[in-house]
Amino acid sequence: MSLDTFLALLVYAFVTSITPGPNNLMLLASGVNFGIVRTIPHMLGISIGFFVLLLAVGFGLGAVLTAFPALHTGLKIAGAAYLLYLAWKIAMSRSLSAKGEVEAKPMRFIDAAAFQWVNPKAWVMAITAMAVYTNADHPFLSVALISAAFAIVNLPSVSVWAGFGTALRGFLSDPVRLKWFNIAMGVLLAATLWPMLR
């Protein structure tokens, strides 16, 4: 992979990682409701889960989904159902979580990592990156470089969303504002399904 191609890949990784999607909207809501420190496992789960997904797609999982459209459809349906469940949970959240609060909990590392496997945007990003940037002459090296590019860019990009949510905590400490913010985040999260499931 030439330096120009790698730089183009870094730009693609940045743009797709920083733009709104299910992960970033959930991190924004988590930053507001739980703060940055309690959202760190969620951020790490996204980055590491997506890294593993990229490797899997690069080493053949994408071809399996292409060969078995029913499996791809099942994955889309499972992802949509889980995303709607998460959107509902966010929309119904009504209070900022203090450290000792037991009821509401931020997404765990393992849940965030597993979510990448049913996240339609993550699949589109992974399949597109592998289709565009993989070099047929050096498949293993190019898959490793693509995954590394996303590893470099993804965590700082998604952290911006959690940080922005944390910055809004003071403004949203008013229960009425928080209620409408969480409803808006739930609706926006559900709306992310539209372009990906058409």
Side-chain angles (χ1 to χ4, degrees), residues 3-196:
L3 181 59
D4 287 348
T5 304
F6 188 70
L7 291 175
L9 171 60
L10 285 175
V11 170
Y12 172 77
F14 173 73
V15 170
T16 55
S17 296
I18 197 86
T19 52
N23 285 324
N24 291 337
L25 291 175
M26 287 191 298
L27 285 173
L28 177 65
S30 185
V32 166
N33 288 288
F34 305 108
I36 194 87
V37 173
R38 293 185 68 197
T39 302
I40 289 173
H42 188 167
M43 293 184 290
L44 292 173
I46 288 169
S47 293
I48 293 170
F50 185 65
F51 178 77
V52 172
L53 177 65
L54 273 168
L55 290 174
V57 168
F59 291 129
L61 187 58
V64 171
L65 290 177
T66 304
F68 298 100
L71 182 61
H72 187 240
T73 302
L75 188 64
K76 277 186 170 184
I77 292 168
Y82 188 58
L83 196 66
L84 290 173
Y85 164 74
L86 292 172
W88 177 258
K89 281 182 64 173
I90 289 170
M92 294 298 107
S93 181
R94 292 293 178 260
S95 66
L96 293 175
S97 274
K99 269 191 177 175
E101 190 173 324
V102 229
E103 251 181 61
K105 294 180 181 170
M107 188 174 263
R108 299 177 310 158
F109 170 87
I110 194 71
D111 297 330
F115 176 68
Q116 303 320 298
W117 292 82
V118 293
N119 178 355
K121 183 183 176 188
W123 278 95
V124 169
M125 288 166 59
I127 290 170
T128 303
M130 291 304 166
V132 172
Y133 294 102
T134 303
N135 182 335
D137 296 332
H138 306 284
F140 292 106
L141 181 58
S142 58
V143 166
L145 284 173
I146 293 165
S147 302
F150 273 94
I152 292 166
V153 169
N154 189 263
L155 184 60
S157 298
V158 300
S159 299
V160 167
W161 287 82
F164 184 56
T166 302
L168 288 174
R169 280 177 69 87
F171 176 73
L172 295 173
S173 60
D174 176 299
V176 175
R177 287 186 199 141
L178 181 66
K179 170 188 168 184
W180 288 109
F181 172 82
N182 284 335
I183 289 171
M185 287 299 99
V187 169
L188 285 172
L189 183 58
T192 63
L193 286 173
W194 174 248
M196 290 180 259

